[in-house]
Amino acid sequence: MPVEIRNVREDELHAFIDAMSTAFLFRPDVARIADDVRSVWDLSRVWAGFDGDRVRGTLRTWPTELTLPGRARVPGSALTNVTVLPTHRRQGIMRGMLMASHAAARERGDVVGLLYAAEYPIYGRFGYGPACRTATWTVDALATSFHGREAAGVDFAPANEATREVIKGVFEAWRATQPGEVRRRDFGWDFDLGIREDGWDARWKGFVLIRRDGAGDADGYVRYRTEDKWERNQPRNIVKVDELVAVTDEAYDALSRFLVEMDWVATIVAERRNPVERLPWLLTNGRAARVSDEADGMWVRLFDVARALEARTYEREGSVVLDVVDAEAPGGRTRLQLDAGGGRATCRPSTRSADLTLDVAALGAAYLGGVSLRDAVTATGADEHRRGALREMDALLRTLDAPWCATFF
């Protein structure tokens, strides 16, 4: 019997969660999670591959916005929970679910698709490219001090509803300025602060710090947990940063300094951070801050190439006619003329001869300005029909500040 790809009904959520957790090699409280998600998932965006009445593959999306270079935002579809049971792989189930979700995204008018790839080799085949980087920062607090003034305006806040609204406001202000960041789901803040318990993990138990400027307005926050550690009867505790968001350099500096200078703390570990941060320059010993585990972060798929290229700004001027190869586009490709100048751009269908042919996955990787297009086309290939067109398009897309997404999904 062929596998049927369709949306999941409410009474099938238990089966969906059960199949998804099985494929992820994890056994949570399935019934509880199914109950939790009934009120927060949009079932028109939850897809499964059904073999009869049994779920063999899972996929869902949620609506978001992506901040672009120049601070414009475009609607996007965030993809997650993509699995196929080990018993049913290589049968086209994932492809069927992705094609159904992509078609729905285009019908809604989503400009981009976004995801974090559990397995790197999979998603390039479906037009996604790794557009952001992520890394772990580790600071040896005993090996350094800070330049400049002491941290000011930083204080603890209770993990409650009032604090939730404050840090949501800070995040919203910050994401409007950070290329690569996305709009978050409202219910996620309750899990982040331990106001609600997540059926997948234990309730969050940590600390919240809010930084306020001279006028008393919140401009930064950090959530962190601690790990108790002693050596030779001396405290060598570890601070694990779950999130640090700062609208201003002053807020970033103050929060970072507070964490590093806390009594009893020897090490600060911050995962899923921007690989390029100002932290080492704040320290008297820049080597005390070390980057590790750098890897691909969020991937981008362009559903509407013309709208996507026109929405962002450009730091250089140029004009390139692109032939974008995309198996999901009518005829398998789209020809567009991009004209960038004065920070803005137009991108329209064109009948002119193409200057450059490239794959939509490579364009998605370079779209936010943090990846070299000349590197991104290595796997998919590119054809220059006008000498220097690849270099010109690469230069057009690149930005001074690298994109970064702090939101994992």
Side-chain angles (χ1 to χ4, degrees), residues 6 34 37 60 104 123 127 176 192 237 276 391:
R6 63 170 173 82
V37 302
R60 72 181 180 90
Y123 292 98
D192 289 344
N237 289 285
V276 181
R391 181 181 293 274

Short mmCIF file of all heavy atoms in Angstrom, two decimals, residues 6 34 37 60 104 123 127 176 192 237 276 391:
data_model
loop_
_atom_site.label_atom_id
_atom_site.label_comp_id
_atom_site.label_asym_id
_atom_site.label_seq_id
_atom_site.Cartn_x
_atom_site.Cartn_y
_atom_site.Cartn_z
N ARG A 6 -0.49 13.51 4.23
CA ARG A 6 -1.61 14.42 4.51
C ARG A 6 -1.42 15.08 5.87
O ARG A 6 -0.53 14.70 6.65
CB ARG A 6 -2.94 13.66 4.48
CG ARG A 6 -3.10 12.59 5.52
CD ARG A 6 -4.53 12.06 5.56
NE ARG A 6 -4.69 10.91 6.43
CZ ARG A 6 -4.85 10.98 7.76
NH1 ARG A 6 -4.82 12.17 8.36
NH2 ARG A 6 -5.02 9.88 8.47
N ALA A 34 1.33 15.18 23.54
CA ALA A 34 0.19 15.30 22.63
C ALA A 34 -0.88 16.21 23.20
O ALA A 34 -1.46 17.04 22.47
CB ALA A 34 -0.38 13.91 22.34
N VAL A 37 0.38 20.01 23.02
CA VAL A 37 0.48 20.68 21.72
C VAL A 37 -0.87 20.93 21.06
O VAL A 37 -0.94 21.67 20.07
CB VAL A 37 1.39 19.89 20.76
CG1 VAL A 37 2.78 19.71 21.37
CG2 VAL A 37 0.78 18.55 20.38
N ARG A 60 6.46 19.16 10.57
CA ARG A 60 5.57 20.28 10.84
C ARG A 60 6.31 21.59 10.65
O ARG A 60 7.55 21.63 10.66
CB ARG A 60 4.95 20.21 12.24
CG ARG A 60 5.89 20.51 13.37
CD ARG A 60 5.18 20.39 14.72
NE ARG A 60 6.09 20.69 15.82
CZ ARG A 60 6.29 21.88 16.35
NH1 ARG A 60 5.61 22.92 15.86
NH2 ARG A 60 7.13 22.06 17.34
N ALA A 104 2.35 24.41 0.37
CA ALA A 104 1.50 25.18 1.28
C ALA A 104 2.16 26.51 1.64
O ALA A 104 1.48 27.54 1.76
CB ALA A 104 1.22 24.37 2.55
N TYR A 123 19.32 18.27 3.31
CA TYR A 123 18.41 19.34 2.89
C TYR A 123 18.86 20.16 1.69
O TYR A 123 18.06 20.87 1.09
CB TYR A 123 18.11 20.24 4.09
CG TYR A 123 17.29 19.51 5.12
CD1 TYR A 123 17.89 18.94 6.23
CD2 TYR A 123 15.92 19.35 4.96
CE1 TYR A 123 17.14 18.24 7.16
CE2 TYR A 123 15.16 18.65 5.88
CZ TYR A 123 15.78 18.09 6.98
OH TYR A 123 15.04 17.38 7.89
N GLY A 127 16.73 22.33 -1.73
CA GLY A 127 16.86 23.77 -1.95
C GLY A 127 17.30 24.58 -0.75
O GLY A 127 17.34 25.81 -0.84
N ALA A 176 14.80 42.87 15.62
CA ALA A 176 14.54 43.81 14.53
C ALA A 176 15.84 44.34 13.93
O ALA A 176 15.84 44.86 12.81
CB ALA A 176 13.69 44.96 15.04
N ASP A 192 10.90 28.63 28.48
CA ASP A 192 12.24 29.16 28.70
C ASP A 192 12.45 29.62 30.14
O ASP A 192 13.57 29.56 30.66
CB ASP A 192 12.50 30.34 27.76
CG ASP A 192 12.68 29.91 26.32
OD1 ASP A 192 12.90 28.71 26.08
OD2 ASP A 192 12.60 30.77 25.42
N ASN A 237 32.93 26.68 40.13
CA ASN A 237 31.62 26.47 39.53
C ASN A 237 31.59 26.88 38.06
O ASN A 237 32.38 27.69 37.59
CB ASN A 237 30.56 27.26 40.31
CG ASN A 237 30.32 26.64 41.68
OD1 ASN A 237 29.67 25.61 41.79
ND2 ASN A 237 30.85 27.28 42.71
N VAL A 276 31.36 35.08 15.93
CA VAL A 276 32.10 36.34 15.96
C VAL A 276 31.42 37.27 16.95
O VAL A 276 30.36 37.82 16.68
CB VAL A 276 32.15 36.98 14.56
CG1 VAL A 276 32.95 38.28 14.60
CG2 VAL A 276 32.73 36.03 13.54
N ARG A 391 31.78 36.44 -9.12
CA ARG A 391 32.45 37.31 -8.16
C ARG A 391 31.59 38.54 -7.85
O ARG A 391 31.49 38.98 -6.71
CB ARG A 391 33.82 37.74 -8.71
CG ARG A 391 34.62 38.63 -7.76
CD ARG A 391 35.94 39.01 -8.39
NE ARG A 391 36.80 37.86 -8.55
CZ ARG A 391 37.63 37.41 -7.60
NH1 ARG A 391 37.69 38.03 -6.43
NH2 ARG A 391 38.39 36.37 -7.82
#
